[in-house]
Amino acid sequence: MFDFQPDPDQPKAVLYDDLLSAAGALVAGERDPVANMANIAALLWQFLPDLNWAGFYRMVDGQLVLGPFVGKPACIRIAVGSGVCGTAVSERCTQLVDDVEAFPGHIACDGETKSELVVPVMANDEVIAVIDLDSPSLARFDQDDRAGIEALAQRIAPAVSG
Ligand code: SME
């Protein structure tokens, strides 16, 4: 049994340190990418307040395909360059969106979403997946969240590729 007890009131840097440690413990010794993505999605949901969607899209045959997540059912396939997720792939970099309505081409899977953070997961210099976090609050994510999720993406990349 895993019994992580995040304290959402602690400083974000500490919260993300704890999240990274928990993620490392969860994927240690497990090579199945779907199982690992599923547990990481659950962990993101448990650790980070004020989310309405947390999960993965995977690169499959040149497009993003829905992966393990927590939240409402979402669009299944996203072309590279489309929406926030597809832009993270085409630009190979994090997209931090304070107001999704101001992002050209944003794909509204859940009408409650107001802000979004999408971080590419890289392996062998290729984007293999993205981590997508949605919030019902405007400007929910800041540079600490960006740094924390980028560190997480780097840490888990070997465990979610393959
Ligand atoms: N909003 C995303 C689509 C995925 S959902 O948020 C789960 C986008 O614009 O790419």
Tab-separated table of all heavy atoms in Angstrom, residues 53 57 74-75 78 82-86 105-110 113 116 118 132 134, ligand 1:
chain	number	residue	atom	x	y	z
A	53	TRP	N	-8.308	18.331	-14.022
A	53	TRP	CA	-7.844	17.256	-14.916
A	53	TRP	C	-6.326	17.133	-14.739
A	53	TRP	O	-5.632	18.142	-14.662
A	53	TRP	CB	-8.167	17.597	-16.383
A	53	TRP	CG	-8.274	16.419	-17.302
A	53	TRP	CD1	-9.414	15.733	-17.614
A	53	TRP	CD2	-7.215	15.796	-18.060
A	53	TRP	NE1	-9.128	14.718	-18.503
A	53	TRP	CE2	-7.788	14.742	-18.796
A	53	TRP	CE3	-5.837	16.026	-18.178
A	53	TRP	CZ2	-7.050	13.917	-19.642
A	53	TRP	CZ3	-5.098	15.202	-19.021
A	53	TRP	CH2	-5.706	14.155	-19.737
A	57	TYR	N	-0.998	12.598	-22.283
A	57	TYR	CA	-1.203	12.214	-23.680
A	57	TYR	C	0.115	11.619	-24.160
A	57	TYR	O	1.186	12.135	-23.838
A	57	TYR	CB	-1.576	13.423	-24.535
A	57	TYR	CG	-3.037	13.801	-24.425
A	57	TYR	CD1	-3.478	14.650	-23.416
A	57	TYR	CD2	-3.974	13.304	-25.325
A	57	TYR	CE1	-4.823	14.989	-23.305
A	57	TYR	CE2	-5.316	13.644	-25.221
A	57	TYR	CZ	-5.729	14.479	-24.217
A	57	TYR	OH	-7.057	14.801	-24.116
A	74	ALA	N	-11.971	12.886	-21.857
A	74	ALA	CA	-11.332	13.956	-22.631
A	74	ALA	C	-11.214	13.546	-24.091
A	74	ALA	O	-11.383	12.371	-24.437
A	74	ALA	CB	-9.953	14.245	-22.054
A	75	CYS	N	-10.881	14.529	-24.952
A	75	CYS	CA	-10.689	14.205	-26.364
A	75	CYS	C	-9.549	13.204	-26.496
A	75	CYS	O	-8.577	13.238	-25.727
A	75	CYS	CB	-10.438	15.464	-27.187
A	75	CYS	SG	-9.278	16.585	-26.467
A	78	ILE	N	-5.081	14.241	-30.488
A	78	ILE	CA	-4.735	15.659	-30.716
A	78	ILE	C	-3.559	15.693	-31.698
A	78	ILE	O	-2.534	15.029	-31.480
A	78	ILE	CB	-4.341	16.359	-29.395
A	78	ILE	CG1	-5.519	16.352	-28.405
A	78	ILE	CG2	-3.876	17.783	-29.660
A	78	ILE	CD1	-5.192	16.941	-27.031
A	82	SER	N	-1.732	21.296	-32.564
A	82	SER	CA	-3.093	21.715	-32.198
A	82	SER	C	-3.228	21.885	-30.693
A	82	SER	O	-2.708	21.070	-29.918
A	82	SER	CB	-4.114	20.653	-32.607
A	82	SER	OG	-4.316	20.683	-33.963
A	83	GLY	N	-3.985	22.895	-30.303
A	83	GLY	CA	-4.272	23.096	-28.889
A	83	GLY	C	-3.013	23.323	-28.066
A	83	GLY	O	-1.913	23.509	-28.602
A	84	VAL	N	-3.199	23.305	-26.763
A	84	VAL	CA	-2.065	23.552	-25.867
A	84	VAL	C	-1.127	22.338	-25.878
A	84	VAL	O	0.102	22.477	-25.944
A	84	VAL	CB	-2.561	23.833	-24.427
A	84	VAL	CG1	-1.387	24.228	-23.542
A	84	VAL	CG2	-3.610	24.940	-24.415
A	85	CYS	N	-1.730	21.140	-25.858
A	85	CYS	CA	-0.904	19.929	-25.822
A	85	CYS	C	-0.096	19.770	-27.110
A	85	CYS	O	1.120	19.505	-27.069
A	85	CYS	CB	-1.791	18.699	-25.604
A	85	CYS	SG	-2.563	18.647	-23.975
A	86	GLY	N	-0.767	19.932	-28.258
A	86	GLY	CA	-0.068	19.766	-29.532
A	86	GLY	C	1.000	20.827	-29.738
A	86	GLY	O	2.017	20.581	-30.400
A	105	GLY	N	-6.690	28.348	-30.497
A	105	GLY	CA	-6.783	26.918	-30.806
A	105	GLY	C	-6.904	26.023	-29.603
A	105	GLY	O	-6.878	24.785	-29.743
A	106	HIS	N	-7.037	26.602	-28.419
A	106	HIS	CA	-7.210	25.768	-27.223
A	106	HIS	C	-8.349	24.777	-27.449
A	106	HIS	O	-9.411	25.122	-27.962
A	106	HIS	CB	-7.522	26.654	-26.004
A	106	HIS	CG	-8.032	25.882	-24.840
A	106	HIS	ND1	-9.360	25.884	-24.471
A	106	HIS	CD2	-7.407	25.036	-23.986
A	106	HIS	CE1	-9.523	25.085	-23.429
A	106	HIS	NE2	-8.352	24.564	-23.115
A	107	ILE	N	-8.127	23.517	-27.037
A	107	ILE	CA	-9.148	22.479	-27.210
A	107	ILE	C	-9.864	22.324	-25.870
A	107	ILE	O	-9.251	21.928	-24.873
A	107	ILE	CB	-8.499	21.141	-27.636
A	107	ILE	CG1	-7.754	21.323	-28.961
A	107	ILE	CG2	-9.561	20.055	-27.741
A	107	ILE	CD1	-6.772	20.217	-29.280
A	108	ALA	N	-11.149	22.655	-25.846
A	108	ALA	CA	-11.912	22.634	-24.588
A	108	ALA	C	-12.504	21.242	-24.362
A	108	ALA	O	-13.546	20.908	-24.918
A	108	ALA	CB	-13.005	23.683	-24.632
A	109	CYS	N	-11.792	20.437	-23.574
A	109	CYS	CA	-12.313	19.105	-23.238
A	109	CYS	C	-13.288	19.219	-22.082
A	109	CYS	O	-14.285	18.518	-22.022
A	109	CYS	CB	-11.179	18.166	-22.840
A	109	CYS	SG	-10.078	17.781	-24.199
A	110	ASP	N	-12.992	20.093	-21.156
A	110	ASP	CA	-13.841	20.299	-19.983
A	110	ASP	C	-14.080	21.805	-19.910
A	110	ASP	O	-13.127	22.583	-19.737
A	110	ASP	CB	-13.104	19.790	-18.728
A	110	ASP	CG	-13.917	19.991	-17.451
A	110	ASP	OD1	-14.865	20.808	-17.462
A	110	ASP	OD2	-13.585	19.357	-16.442
A	113	THR	N	-12.366	24.268	-17.406
A	113	THR	CA	-10.938	24.613	-17.400
A	113	THR	C	-10.720	26.088	-17.705
A	113	THR	O	-11.222	26.611	-18.692
A	113	THR	CB	-10.171	23.761	-18.430
A	113	THR	OG1	-10.300	22.392	-18.063
A	113	THR	CG2	-8.701	24.141	-18.471
A	116	GLU	N	-4.028	26.205	-17.691
A	116	GLU	CA	-3.491	24.902	-18.077
A	116	GLU	C	-1.963	24.938	-18.096
A	116	GLU	O	-1.364	25.964	-18.429
A	116	GLU	CB	-4.038	24.566	-19.475
A	116	GLU	CG	-3.677	23.193	-19.993
A	116	GLU	CD	-4.623	22.726	-21.110
A	116	GLU	OE1	-5.628	23.427	-21.402
A	116	GLU	OE2	-4.352	21.664	-21.680
A	118	VAL	N	1.131	22.420	-19.603
A	118	VAL	CA	1.459	21.211	-20.364
A	118	VAL	C	2.976	21.121	-20.509
A	118	VAL	O	3.621	22.065	-20.985
A	118	VAL	CB	0.793	21.214	-21.760
A	118	VAL	CG1	1.171	19.949	-22.529
A	118	VAL	CG2	-0.726	21.314	-21.636
A	132	ASP	N	-0.376	16.873	-18.738
A	132	ASP	CA	-1.346	17.962	-18.885
A	132	ASP	C	-2.064	18.171	-17.554
A	132	ASP	O	-2.636	17.231	-17.003
A	132	ASP	CB	-2.353	17.586	-19.988
A	132	ASP	CG	-3.375	18.686	-20.254
A	132	ASP	OD1	-3.174	19.816	-19.772
A	132	ASP	OD2	-4.378	18.401	-20.948
A	134	ASP	N	-4.966	20.716	-15.777
A	134	ASP	CA	-5.988	21.749	-16.000
A	134	ASP	C	-6.532	22.208	-14.655
A	134	ASP	O	-6.667	21.400	-13.729
A	134	ASP	CB	-7.169	21.184	-16.794
A	134	ASP	CG	-6.818	20.844	-18.235
A	134	ASP	OD1	-5.620	20.844	-18.573
A	134	ASP	OD2	-7.747	20.568	-19.001
B	1	SME	N1	-6.917	21.584	-23.459
B	1	SME	C1	-6.029	20.670	-24.129
B	1	SME	C2	-6.732	19.400	-24.530
B	1	SME	C3	-6.636	18.327	-23.505
B	1	SME	S1	-7.684	18.520	-22.232
B	1	SME	O1	-7.407	19.761	-21.538
B	1	SME	C4	-7.634	17.241	-21.196
B	1	SME	C5	-5.414	21.334	-25.330
B	1	SME	O2	-5.802	22.458	-25.710
B	1	SME	O3	-4.544	20.735	-25.935
